[in-house]
Short mmCIF file of all heavy atoms in Angstrom, two decimals:
data_model
loop_
_atom_site.label_atom_id
_atom_site.label_comp_id
_atom_site.label_asym_id
_atom_site.label_seq_id
_atom_site.Cartn_x
_atom_site.Cartn_y
_atom_site.Cartn_z
N PHE A 1 95.03 81.83 125.45
CA PHE A 1 94.87 83.25 125.02
C PHE A 1 93.46 83.49 124.50
O PHE A 1 92.75 82.55 124.09
CB PHE A 1 95.88 83.65 123.92
CG PHE A 1 95.79 82.79 122.64
CD1 PHE A 1 94.85 83.01 121.68
CD2 PHE A 1 96.72 81.73 122.48
CE1 PHE A 1 94.76 82.23 120.53
CE2 PHE A 1 96.67 80.98 121.34
CZ PHE A 1 95.67 81.23 120.36
N THR A 2 93.00 84.71 124.56
CA THR A 2 91.77 85.13 123.88
C THR A 2 92.13 85.77 122.54
O THR A 2 93.22 86.20 122.30
CB THR A 2 91.00 86.15 124.75
OG1 THR A 2 91.88 87.30 125.04
CG2 THR A 2 90.53 85.52 126.06
N LEU A 3 91.11 85.81 121.72
CA LEU A 3 91.33 86.33 120.32
C LEU A 3 90.52 87.57 120.04
O LEU A 3 89.38 87.71 120.52
CB LEU A 3 90.91 85.18 119.32
CG LEU A 3 91.03 85.54 117.84
CD1 LEU A 3 92.46 85.68 117.40
CD2 LEU A 3 90.30 84.45 117.02
N THR A 4 91.15 88.49 119.35
CA THR A 4 90.38 89.61 118.84
C THR A 4 90.74 89.84 117.33
O THR A 4 91.91 89.73 116.99
CB THR A 4 90.78 90.94 119.54
OG1 THR A 4 90.61 90.80 120.96
CG2 THR A 4 90.02 92.15 119.07
N THR A 5 89.70 89.98 116.50
CA THR A 5 89.96 90.20 115.10
C THR A 5 89.51 91.58 114.69
O THR A 5 88.47 92.08 115.18
CB THR A 5 89.24 89.16 114.21
OG1 THR A 5 87.85 89.21 114.41
CG2 THR A 5 89.75 87.72 114.56
N LEU A 6 90.30 92.26 113.88
CA LEU A 6 90.01 93.59 113.39
C LEU A 6 89.75 93.47 111.85
O LEU A 6 90.55 92.85 111.15
CB LEU A 6 91.22 94.51 113.63
CG LEU A 6 91.67 94.59 115.08
CD1 LEU A 6 92.82 95.60 115.22
CD2 LEU A 6 90.53 94.97 116.02
N CYS A 7 88.73 94.12 111.38
CA CYS A 7 88.31 94.09 110.02
C CYS A 7 88.33 95.47 109.37
O CYS A 7 87.31 96.13 109.26
CB CYS A 7 86.93 93.44 109.90
SG CYS A 7 86.80 91.79 110.60
N PRO A 8 89.49 95.92 108.90
CA PRO A 8 89.58 97.20 108.24
C PRO A 8 89.20 97.12 106.75
O PRO A 8 89.41 96.06 106.12
CB PRO A 8 91.07 97.55 108.41
CG PRO A 8 91.72 96.24 108.38
CD PRO A 8 90.82 95.26 109.05
N PRO A 9 88.68 98.16 106.21
CA PRO A 9 88.39 98.26 104.75
C PRO A 9 89.59 98.85 104.02
O PRO A 9 90.73 98.37 104.28
CB PRO A 9 87.14 99.17 104.69
CG PRO A 9 87.34 100.08 105.87
CD PRO A 9 88.11 99.32 106.91
N MET A 10 89.35 99.77 103.12
CA MET A 10 90.50 100.46 102.42
C MET A 10 91.26 101.27 103.49
O MET A 10 90.70 101.99 104.31
CB MET A 10 90.00 101.40 101.40
CG MET A 10 89.36 100.71 100.18
SD MET A 10 90.48 99.57 99.33
CE MET A 10 91.78 100.70 98.72
N VAL A 11 92.59 101.03 103.52
CA VAL A 11 93.46 101.72 104.47
C VAL A 11 94.32 102.74 103.76
O VAL A 11 95.09 102.40 102.90
CB VAL A 11 94.38 100.64 105.20
CG1 VAL A 11 95.20 101.37 106.20
CG2 VAL A 11 93.53 99.57 105.82
N TYR A 12 94.15 103.99 104.19
CA TYR A 12 94.94 105.10 103.55
C TYR A 12 95.70 105.84 104.61
O TYR A 12 95.43 105.70 105.83
CB TYR A 12 93.99 106.07 102.86
CG TYR A 12 93.19 105.52 101.75
CD1 TYR A 12 91.83 105.37 101.76
CD2 TYR A 12 93.83 105.13 100.56
CE1 TYR A 12 91.11 104.87 100.72
CE2 TYR A 12 93.14 104.65 99.45
CZ TYR A 12 91.74 104.50 99.57
OH TYR A 12 91.03 104.01 98.50
N GLY A 13 96.63 106.63 104.18
CA GLY A 13 97.42 107.45 105.17
C GLY A 13 98.83 107.64 104.70
O GLY A 13 99.31 106.95 103.77
N PRO A 14 99.59 108.52 105.35
CA PRO A 14 100.97 108.84 104.98
C PRO A 14 101.86 107.62 105.10
O PRO A 14 101.85 107.00 106.15
CB PRO A 14 101.34 109.94 105.93
CG PRO A 14 100.42 109.84 107.11
CD PRO A 14 99.14 109.34 106.54
N PRO A 15 102.60 107.32 104.04
CA PRO A 15 103.51 106.20 104.10
C PRO A 15 104.72 106.43 104.96
O PRO A 15 105.53 107.34 104.59
CB PRO A 15 103.85 105.90 102.64
CG PRO A 15 103.78 107.26 102.01
CD PRO A 15 102.64 107.93 102.73
N GLU A 16 104.89 105.73 106.01
CA GLU A 16 106.11 105.91 106.87
C GLU A 16 107.08 104.80 106.66
O GLU A 16 108.18 104.88 107.26
CB GLU A 16 105.64 106.03 108.31
CG GLU A 16 104.69 107.19 108.66
CD GLU A 16 105.37 108.60 108.28
OE1 GLU A 16 106.52 108.69 108.28
OE2 GLU A 16 104.53 109.50 108.04
N GLN A 17 106.76 103.83 105.85
CA GLN A 17 107.68 102.75 105.57
C GLN A 17 108.75 103.28 104.61
O GLN A 17 108.69 104.35 104.05
CB GLN A 17 107.00 101.55 105.01
CG GLN A 17 106.55 101.72 103.55
CD GLN A 17 105.16 102.37 103.40
OE1 GLN A 17 104.68 103.04 104.35
NE2 GLN A 17 104.54 102.23 102.24
N GLU A 18 109.82 102.50 104.41
CA GLU A 18 110.83 102.87 103.44
C GLU A 18 110.20 102.80 102.03
O GLU A 18 109.60 101.81 101.60
CB GLU A 18 112.00 101.85 103.50
CG GLU A 18 113.05 102.08 102.46
CD GLU A 18 113.79 103.43 102.70
OE1 GLU A 18 113.90 103.89 103.88
OE2 GLU A 18 114.31 103.99 101.72
N VAL A 19 110.33 103.91 101.34
CA VAL A 19 109.75 104.06 99.95
C VAL A 19 110.87 104.26 98.99
O VAL A 19 111.35 105.36 98.80
CB VAL A 19 108.74 105.20 99.87
CG1 VAL A 19 108.14 105.28 98.49
CG2 VAL A 19 107.62 105.02 100.93
N PRO A 20 111.34 103.22 98.31
CA PRO A 20 112.41 103.36 97.35
C PRO A 20 112.04 104.18 96.11
O PRO A 20 112.86 104.85 95.55
CB PRO A 20 112.76 101.90 96.94
CG PRO A 20 111.48 101.14 97.21
CD PRO A 20 110.86 101.80 98.36
N SER A 21 110.73 104.20 95.80
CA SER A 21 110.24 104.93 94.65
C SER A 21 108.73 105.09 94.82
O SER A 21 108.04 104.16 95.30
CB SER A 21 110.51 104.16 93.34
OG SER A 21 109.81 104.74 92.25
N LEU A 22 108.25 106.22 94.40
CA LEU A 22 106.76 106.51 94.50
C LEU A 22 105.94 105.49 93.70
O LEU A 22 104.85 105.25 94.06
CB LEU A 22 106.47 107.92 94.08
CG LEU A 22 106.78 108.97 95.16
CD1 LEU A 22 106.95 110.33 94.56
CD2 LEU A 22 105.71 108.92 96.26
N VAL A 23 106.53 104.95 92.66
CA VAL A 23 105.79 103.92 91.88
C VAL A 23 105.74 102.59 92.66
O VAL A 23 104.98 101.66 92.19
CB VAL A 23 106.37 103.75 90.50
CG1 VAL A 23 106.37 105.00 89.68
CG2 VAL A 23 107.81 103.20 90.58
N LYS A 24 106.48 102.49 93.69
CA LYS A 24 106.45 101.26 94.48
C LYS A 24 105.79 101.46 95.86
O LYS A 24 106.05 100.69 96.81
CB LYS A 24 107.90 100.74 94.70
CG LYS A 24 108.59 100.31 93.40
CD LYS A 24 109.93 99.72 93.62
CE LYS A 24 110.54 99.25 92.35
NZ LYS A 24 111.91 98.60 92.53
N LEU A 25 104.89 102.45 95.91
CA LEU A 25 104.09 102.61 97.11
C LEU A 25 103.20 101.43 97.32
O LEU A 25 102.92 100.67 96.40
CB LEU A 25 103.22 103.87 96.94
CG LEU A 25 103.82 105.25 97.13
CD1 LEU A 25 102.97 106.34 96.57
CD2 LEU A 25 104.16 105.50 98.63
N ASN A 26 102.74 101.26 98.52
CA ASN A 26 101.77 100.21 98.76
C ASN A 26 100.50 100.57 97.95
O ASN A 26 100.22 101.74 97.64
CB ASN A 26 101.39 100.17 100.29
CG ASN A 26 100.97 101.51 100.83
OD1 ASN A 26 101.83 102.38 100.98
ND2 ASN A 26 99.77 101.65 101.19
N THR A 27 99.68 99.60 97.66
CA THR A 27 98.60 99.74 96.69
C THR A 27 97.65 100.87 96.98
O THR A 27 97.31 101.68 96.09
CB THR A 27 97.86 98.41 96.58
OG1 THR A 27 98.79 97.36 96.16
CG2 THR A 27 96.71 98.54 95.49
N SER A 28 97.19 100.93 98.20
CA SER A 28 96.17 101.97 98.56
C SER A 28 96.72 103.38 98.42
O SER A 28 96.05 104.28 97.90
CB SER A 28 95.57 101.68 99.91
OG SER A 28 96.60 101.72 100.92
N ASP A 29 97.94 103.58 98.89
CA ASP A 29 98.53 104.94 98.69
C ASP A 29 98.84 105.23 97.24
O ASP A 29 98.76 106.39 96.82
CB ASP A 29 99.83 105.03 99.57
CG ASP A 29 99.57 105.50 100.98
OD1 ASP A 29 98.48 106.05 101.24
OD2 ASP A 29 100.40 105.23 101.85
N LEU A 30 99.18 104.21 96.52
CA LEU A 30 99.44 104.38 95.08
C LEU A 30 98.19 104.88 94.34
O LEU A 30 98.26 105.63 93.38
CB LEU A 30 99.98 103.14 94.43
CG LEU A 30 100.49 103.28 92.95
CD1 LEU A 30 101.61 104.28 92.89
CD2 LEU A 30 101.01 101.89 92.48
N TYR A 31 96.98 104.41 94.81
CA TYR A 31 95.74 104.87 94.23
C TYR A 31 95.65 106.44 94.31
O TYR A 31 95.24 107.07 93.39
CB TYR A 31 94.54 104.22 94.98
CG TYR A 31 94.30 102.85 94.67
CD1 TYR A 31 93.42 102.07 95.47
CD2 TYR A 31 94.88 102.13 93.58
CE1 TYR A 31 93.16 100.77 95.27
CE2 TYR A 31 94.64 100.81 93.36
CZ TYR A 31 93.81 100.11 94.18
OH TYR A 31 93.55 98.80 93.92
N ILE A 32 96.01 106.97 95.56
CA ILE A 32 95.88 108.39 95.73
C ILE A 32 97.00 109.09 94.97
O ILE A 32 96.77 110.13 94.31
CB ILE A 32 96.07 108.74 97.24
CG1 ILE A 32 94.89 108.09 98.04
CG2 ILE A 32 95.98 110.25 97.45
CD1 ILE A 32 94.96 108.30 99.57
N TYR A 33 98.19 108.55 95.02
CA TYR A 33 99.30 109.23 94.29
C TYR A 33 99.11 109.28 92.79
O TYR A 33 99.43 110.28 92.17
CB TYR A 33 100.64 108.53 94.59
CG TYR A 33 101.75 109.32 93.95
CD1 TYR A 33 102.20 110.57 94.43
CD2 TYR A 33 102.44 108.81 92.81
CE1 TYR A 33 103.20 111.27 93.85
CE2 TYR A 33 103.46 109.55 92.19
CZ TYR A 33 103.84 110.76 92.70
OH TYR A 33 104.81 111.48 92.09
N ASP A 34 98.49 108.25 92.23
CA ASP A 34 98.27 108.24 90.78
C ASP A 34 97.33 109.39 90.40
O ASP A 34 97.44 109.95 89.34
CB ASP A 34 97.71 106.87 90.33
CG ASP A 34 98.72 105.81 90.22
OD1 ASP A 34 99.91 106.18 90.22
OD2 ASP A 34 98.41 104.64 90.05
N ILE A 35 96.35 109.68 91.30
CA ILE A 35 95.45 110.81 91.02
C ILE A 35 96.25 112.10 91.22
O ILE A 35 96.21 113.05 90.36
CB ILE A 35 94.25 110.81 91.97
CG1 ILE A 35 93.38 109.55 91.73
CG2 ILE A 35 93.42 112.09 91.82
CD1 ILE A 35 92.26 109.37 92.75
N PHE A 36 96.98 112.19 92.32
CA PHE A 36 97.85 113.39 92.63
C PHE A 36 98.84 113.70 91.48
O PHE A 36 99.20 114.82 91.21
CB PHE A 36 98.53 113.13 93.92
CG PHE A 36 99.14 114.36 94.55
CD1 PHE A 36 98.47 115.52 94.73
CD2 PHE A 36 100.46 114.31 94.95
CE1 PHE A 36 99.06 116.65 95.35
CE2 PHE A 36 101.08 115.37 95.57
CZ PHE A 36 100.37 116.57 95.82
N ASN A 37 99.28 112.66 90.83
CA ASN A 37 100.28 112.76 89.77
C ASN A 37 99.65 112.89 88.36
O ASN A 37 100.39 113.00 87.36
CB ASN A 37 101.24 111.57 89.80
CG ASN A 37 102.52 111.83 89.07
OD1 ASN A 37 103.09 112.96 89.21
ND2 ASN A 37 103.09 110.87 88.41
N GLY A 38 98.32 112.80 88.29
CA GLY A 38 97.61 112.93 87.05
C GLY A 38 97.77 111.74 86.14
O GLY A 38 97.57 111.85 84.93
N THR A 39 98.13 110.59 86.67
CA THR A 39 98.33 109.38 85.87
C THR A 39 97.17 108.41 85.87
O THR A 39 97.20 107.41 85.18
CB THR A 39 99.63 108.65 86.28
OG1 THR A 39 99.58 108.39 87.67
CG2 THR A 39 100.86 109.53 86.01
N SER A 40 96.14 108.70 86.73
CA SER A 40 95.04 107.80 86.80
C SER A 40 93.80 108.51 87.24
O SER A 40 93.85 109.49 88.06
CB SER A 40 95.35 106.63 87.74
OG SER A 40 94.23 105.82 87.91
N ASP A 41 92.63 108.09 86.75
CA ASP A 41 91.35 108.56 87.32
C ASP A 41 91.02 107.84 88.57
O ASP A 41 91.67 106.77 88.87
CB ASP A 41 90.26 108.35 86.27
CG ASP A 41 90.24 109.37 85.17
OD1 ASP A 41 90.72 110.51 85.43
OD2 ASP A 41 89.78 109.06 84.06
N PRO A 42 90.10 108.33 89.34
CA PRO A 42 89.68 107.60 90.60
C PRO A 42 89.22 106.18 90.25
O PRO A 42 88.62 105.89 89.20
CB PRO A 42 88.50 108.45 91.04
CG PRO A 42 88.72 109.80 90.49
CD PRO A 42 89.31 109.55 89.09
N ARG A 43 89.54 105.30 91.20
CA ARG A 43 89.15 103.87 91.05
C ARG A 43 88.14 103.57 92.14
O ARG A 43 88.38 103.79 93.35
CB ARG A 43 90.41 102.97 91.21
CG ARG A 43 91.46 103.27 90.19
CD ARG A 43 92.76 102.58 90.53
NE ARG A 43 93.86 102.95 89.71
CZ ARG A 43 95.14 102.77 89.93
NH1 ARG A 43 95.54 102.21 91.04
NH2 ARG A 43 96.05 103.18 89.08
N TYR A 44 87.00 103.03 91.71
CA TYR A 44 85.90 102.79 92.61
C TYR A 44 85.83 101.31 92.95
O TYR A 44 86.19 100.49 92.14
CB TYR A 44 84.63 103.32 92.07
CG TYR A 44 84.52 104.83 91.93
CD1 TYR A 44 85.12 105.47 90.87
CD2 TYR A 44 83.89 105.56 92.92
CE1 TYR A 44 85.08 106.84 90.74
CE2 TYR A 44 83.85 106.92 92.84
CZ TYR A 44 84.45 107.59 91.73
OH TYR A 44 84.40 108.96 91.62
N GLY A 45 85.31 100.98 94.12
CA GLY A 45 85.16 99.62 94.49
C GLY A 45 84.58 99.51 95.95
O GLY A 45 83.40 99.35 96.12
N VAL A 46 85.47 99.65 96.94
CA VAL A 46 85.06 99.65 98.33
C VAL A 46 84.70 101.09 98.72
O VAL A 46 85.35 102.03 98.38
CB VAL A 46 86.18 99.10 99.22
CG1 VAL A 46 85.77 99.10 100.65
CG2 VAL A 46 86.58 97.66 98.77
N TRP A 47 83.61 101.23 99.51
CA TRP A 47 83.06 102.51 99.84
C TRP A 47 83.33 102.99 101.31
O TRP A 47 82.77 104.00 101.72
CB TRP A 47 81.60 102.54 99.56
CG TRP A 47 81.28 102.34 98.08
CD1 TRP A 47 80.92 101.15 97.51
CD2 TRP A 47 81.23 103.29 97.06
NE1 TRP A 47 80.71 101.31 96.15
CE2 TRP A 47 80.93 102.63 95.89
CE3 TRP A 47 81.51 104.66 97.00
CZ2 TRP A 47 80.83 103.28 94.64
CZ3 TRP A 47 81.42 105.34 95.76
CH2 TRP A 47 81.12 104.60 94.63
N ILE A 48 84.11 102.31 101.99
CA ILE A 48 84.51 102.67 103.38
C ILE A 48 85.98 102.59 103.58
O ILE A 48 86.67 101.93 102.83
CB ILE A 48 83.74 101.86 104.43
CG1 ILE A 48 84.10 100.35 104.28
CG2 ILE A 48 82.25 102.02 104.33
CD1 ILE A 48 83.55 99.54 105.47
#
């Protein structure tokens, strides 16, 4: 076989997985929801 590697940075987007609770969102979506919910300020780190 041949190999291909993909190198994504911060990954955001609508969660389509099973979400038992909004506090149990995947980490990157939780970053956005915490702002949307007024529970956190923006968190800086990766810029892409």
Side-chain angles (χ1 to χ4, degrees):
F1 59 82
T2 56
L3 178 68
T4 303
T5 61
L6 306 181
C7 302
M10 291 301 296
V11 181
Y12 296 113
E16 298 302 336
Q17 73 274 19
E18 178 65 29
V19 180
S21 168
L22 280 161
V23 298
K24 294 185 178 180
L25 282 165
N26 54 291
T27 301
S28 57
D29 273 338
L30 189 58
Y31 287 167
I32 300 177
Y33 183 71
D34 281 348
I35 297 173
F36 192 52
N37 200 39
T39 54
S40 174
D41 279 334
R43 300 166 187 164
Y44 292 82
V46 179
W47 297 96
I48 60 173

